Amino acid sequence: DVDVLDFDNDGMNEVWVNTWDLFSFAVWEVTGPDTYELQVEVNAGKPDADHGMFNSHHFLTDDIDGDGRLEMLWPSTEGTLFFLDDSDDVSTLTADDFVAVMNFLDPEAGSQESRGGDLGDLDDDGMTDIVISLGRGEQVIRLEHNGGDPADSTSYDRSVVVAQTDTATVIRWYPLRIADDLDGDGTKEIVMTNLYATD
C-alpha cells in the first residue's frame, strides 16, 4: 500500500508505504521541492503474527472520532483491526502506537485472511463504515463505528455484507472499493474483485 497524507497536520505531505511483513511501514515527509526525508521506519513491528495490510491502494484514514484530525485504521491480513490515533509528529510513531481493537474474522467461516478494505459511510448516517474482504473466508464484512472510542471493540457493529454459499464455485474476494453512488440509484455501492475471475 502507498498513500500521500499530512497525518501530523504540519502542512507538509508524507508518503506512507506499507510492506506485508509482520507490520512494517515507512513514512517520508516532503520537506521541499524534490526533497523527501525519512521520518520513521518500522520493520516487523508486531512479530506475534503475520500482520500486514493488503488494501492494494491507500491507507485507511478518517476523522473517526470527530476531533478534526485524521486517525488510521489498519485491518491486518491475519484479522486484527488496529487503530492509530492522531499524531503531532509522525517521526515519533512506533508499532506500539497502533492499538489492537479486535479480531474481525468469523471463527466459523473456515480459513480466512483479510485481502482488502475501504472506508466510507455506506448509509449516510454520519458513522464510518469499514468494509473488509476475507479472501479465502469468502465473505465481505462491514464494521460500522457506532460513535464510541475507536480503540474499543464495542464501538463497532459487525455484519456480513455478502457470503459465498455456492460451494461448487470458488470465490476469493480481494481488494474492494466503496463507490459514491456508482449507478445513480441514490445509494453507495461496494465494488468487489474476485481472484477467480472466471467464476
Side-chain angles (χ1 to χ4, degrees), residues 1-7 13-18 26-30 53 55-62 70-73 118-119:
D1 300 309
V2 64
D3 208 347
V4 176
L5 307 166
D6 181 10
F7 191 78
N13 284 323
E14 307 117 17
V15 179
W16 289 66
V17 178
N18 159 63
V27 181
W28 288 265
E29 194 160 58
V30 183
M53 188 165 53
N55 297 328
S56 298
H57 64 129
H58 59 267
F59 284 68
L60 304 185
T61 59
D62 190 29
L70 286 179
E71 290 82 35
M72 186 175 292
L73 294 147
D118 203 4
L119 287 179

Side-chain angles (χ1 to χ4, degrees), residues 31-173:
T31 56
D34 300 318
T35 307
Y36 305 85
E37 294 183 9
L38 181 65
Q39 297 298 304
V40 62
E41 182 176 10
V42 172
N43 293 301
K46 295 186 181 287
D48 60 302
D50 195 8
H51 300 293
M53 188 165 53
F54 206 92
N55 297 328
S56 298
H57 64 129
H58 59 267
F59 284 68
L60 304 185
T61 59
D62 190 29
D63 179 15
I64 194 169
D65 60 7
D67 66 355
R69 302 285 301 275
L70 286 179
E71 290 82 35
M72 186 175 292
L73 294 147
W74 181 306
S76 80
T77 49
E78 62 72 61
T80 301
L81 178 67
F82 290 98
F83 171 73
L84 174 65
D85 206 354
D86 51 76
S87 170
D88 291 325
D89 184 356
V90 292
S91 70
T92 64
L93 293 177
T94 70
D96 290 339
D97 292 319
F98 289 78
V99 177
V101 177
M102 69 170 76
N103 189 294
F104 53 76
L105 300 181
D106 180 351
E108 300 186 11
S111 176
Q112 301 171 19
E113 290 177 333
S114 169
R115 281 296 185 272
D118 203 4
L119 287 179
D121 183 1
L122 288 173
D123 52 7
D124 293 317
D125 65 353
M127 296 297 183
T128 299
D129 295 298
I130 311 161
V131 290
I132 304 168
S133 63
L134 298 189
R136 288 178 294 181
E138 302 192 348
Q139 288 185 351
V140 173
I141 64 166
R142 172 188 184 187
L143 302 176
E144 184 172 26
H145 183 243
N146 60 30
D149 178 358
D152 184 341
S153 63
T154 63
S155 298
Y156 300 88
D157 299 318
R158 185 188 189 280
S159 59
V160 175
V161 175
V162 64
Q164 172 66 4
T165 57
D166 176 8
T167 57
T169 303
V170 179
I171 300 277
R172 190 172 294 178
W173 303 119

